[in-house]
Amino acid sequence: MSTVFRDLLKKIASGEHTGHNLTRAEAATATKMMLRKEATPAQIGAFLIAHRIKRPTPQEIAGMLDAYDELGPKLQPIACERPVIVLGIPYDGRTRTAPISPVTALLLAASGQPVIMHGGDCFPTKYGVPLVDIWQRLGIDWTGLSLEKSQQVFEKTGLGFIYTPKHFPLTNSIWEYRDQLGKRPPLATMELIWCPYAGNAHIIAGFVHPPTEKLFQNTLALRGVTQLTTVKGLEGSCELPRDRTAIIGITRTSELDETGNISIERLHLSPRDYGFTTKNEPLGTTEELIADIQGVLNGKPSDLMQTALWNGGFYLWRCGICSDMREGIAKAEELFTSDVVTQKLEELSSNLLS
């Protein structure tokens, strides 16, 4: 039994009146000890649930990210004019609404905007459709690639994927605890703003609850990161909803504000204002989802195409490729109907096989 870890556990699990938050360095130590299995299973389970009940601080999440930086993988910098986008999407997938993020990633890469995604298999607590499963059914299998091969594909196509079961196997055992506990621990929140890229990055993270957005801002400020977009998205993802006004936070400057935090500008985007119907595409079977995605890639009108245009238009504008939302939506439609996005998928496939 680790006495060091026991002391850290006692610090956060002593209750409202006698408990204390961890320092950034202590949180990093605790995370590394859990990943390396230097703490016992009982200690790890107790820590994860106690930390969830206490609620993490920005310093603690920053420490967890420090540990991931030290132990985890990173794709290396590539030559590009814009910051590389890193999409922060919940690892436990989607269960209610049809995901469009892989299509958005293809659209952006086809427009010259590099994108990195990260995640694993069908994970707790939702056990929803994971990103890697969607990619596989589109003919792109990230699961067997070494980190070196993933780097090569990223350099050639502008699309990268960190598949954590292979590229960061130290995290595998943590998923067992998540399943047994039945609740997302703070590590699941931290993953949304994890940046497995060693160069200039723009982090885009989804959130559900407003305090989480503030936690993201303050955590990244501690780490000197100022390029951030937050989206109150579908099922905690960074996909814009169509059934309500999209609540978005964006940074306009690379400088921290006078309080040392990231300055966020609030955007409220109504789908109705841009001619979209106000409903989300429900998630059916995975086979139906893939058929619908392939229809989008082939430029066929559909409800999912509406979601693809709504999201694609926003991200083309946010990345600076288009001057405003309307131009972005028109550009997205042009790219889908001209086979440019399909060609990017084919390019990706050929590079994976080469």
Side-chain angles (χ1 to χ4, degrees):
M1 179 180 67
S2 170
T3 56
V4 172
F5 194 88
R6 183 180 61 183
D7 290 340
L8 296 175
L9 174 59
K10 287 169 61 178
K11 191 171 183 179
I12 66 167
S14 296
E16 181 179 354
H17 300 293
T18 58
H20 299 280
N21 296 322
L22 300 180
T23 66
R24 179 172 173 175
E26 288 173 333
T29 296
T31 302
K32 287 185 285 186
M33 294 184 74
M34 288 189 290
L35 293 175
R36 290 169 170 160
K37 299 182 181 180
E38 295 169 354
T40 68
Q43 288 177 326
I44 294 173
F47 184 93
L48 293 176
I49 200 66
H51 207 208
R52 175 185 169 87
I53 294 171
K54 181 189 77 69
R55 300 298 183 188
T57 66
Q59 289 77 12
E60 290 170 335
I61 297 294
M64 292 177 178
L65 289 168
D66 293 343
Y68 268 50
D69 280 351
E70 180 178 337
L71 301 179
K74 282 187 181 291
L75 293 173
Q76 296 305 302
I78 61 172
C80 57
E81 296 180 357
R82 303 181 184 89
V84 168
I85 280 181
V86 179
L87 293 175
I89 298 170
Y91 282 15
D92 55 1
R94 298 277 279 277
T95 59
R96 303 188 306 275
T97 54
I100 203 68
S101 294
V103 174
T104 303
L106 285 167
L107 174 73
L108 292 175
S111 304
Q113 171 60 61
V115 180
I116 293 174
M117 308 178 90
H118 52 96
D121 298 311
C122 189
F123 283 153
T125 54
K126 285 168 59 178
Y127 288 104
V129 178
L131 291 171
V132 71
D133 192 13
I134 298 171
W135 281 113
Q136 282 178 322
R137 291 170 184 260
L138 291 173
I140 308 299
D141 188 359
W142 300 101
T143 64
L145 301 188
S146 66
L147 187 62
E148 292 73 20
K149 180 62 176 179
S150 296
Q151 178 73 35
Q152 293 173 12
V153 172
F154 179 49
E155 291 173 353
K156 292 178 179 178
T157 69
L159 273 167
F161 197 103
I162 293 295
Y163 177 59
T164 54
K166 184 175 181 66
H167 299 146
F168 199 0
L170 287 177
T171 62
N172 291 346
S173 63
I174 297 296
W175 287 101
E176 299 174 11
Y177 292 98
R178 296 188 192 190
D179 186 29
Q180 295 168 21
L181 294 173
K183 291 291 185 181
R184 291 190 186 97
L187 285 168
T189 300
M190 177 273 295
E191 286 163 348
L192 297 174
I193 51 173
W194 177 43
C195 180
Y197 179 62
N200 186 20
H202 174 181
I203 296 173
I204 300 180
F207 71 95
V208 176
H209 307 294
T212 303
E213 182 188 34
K214 191 67 176 177
L215 178 63
F216 288 164
Q217 293 174 237
N218 294 341
T219 298
L220 292 176
L222 289 172
R223 290 171 54 81
V225 176
T226 57
Q227 298 177 100
L228 171 67
T229 298
T230 58
V231 180
K232 187 175 173 61
L234 293 174
E235 300 185 52
S237 74
C238 47
E239 294 182 16
L240 277 64
R242 284 169 49 209
D243 65 337
R244 55 179 167 82
T245 296
I247 300 173
I248 298 164
I250 64 173
T251 56
R252 292 288 194 183
T253 175
S254 60
E255 302 294 330
L256 299 177
D257 64 21
E258 62 276 5
T259 63
N261 290 320
I262 297 173
S263 179
I264 287 286
E265 177 183 328
R266 178 66 69 218
L267 292 181
H268 294 92
L269 298 177
S270 171
R272 194 183 300 276
D273 291 344
Y274 295 87
F276 293 103
T277 56
T278 54
K279 69 170 186 175
N280 297 320
E281 181 67 7
L283 179 62
T285 66
T286 305
E287 290 73 19
E288 290 170 338
L289 171 64
I290 298 305
D292 288 343
I293 287 178
Q294 289 171 335
V296 171
L297 296 176
N298 290 326
K300 296 179 180 179
S302 66
D303 285 338
L304 192 62
M305 174 64 88
Q306 296 294 297
T307 300
L309 294 175
W310 178 228
N311 280 269
F314 170 73
Y315 283 111
L316 287 171
W317 164 72
R318 180 66 180 115
C319 297
I321 295 169
C322 296
S323 60
D324 57 36
M325 278 285 294
R326 296 189 188 282
E327 181 184 335
I329 292 167
K331 180 69 172 178
E333 185 170 22
E334 173 192 332
L335 293 174
F336 285 131
T337 55
S338 62
D339 292 333
V340 172
V341 183
T342 301
Q343 291 169 13
K344 175 56 69 172
L345 180 63
E346 293 171 352
E347 176 193 354
L348 186 60
S349 178
S350 63
N351 275 278
L352 258 70
L353 297 174
S354 64

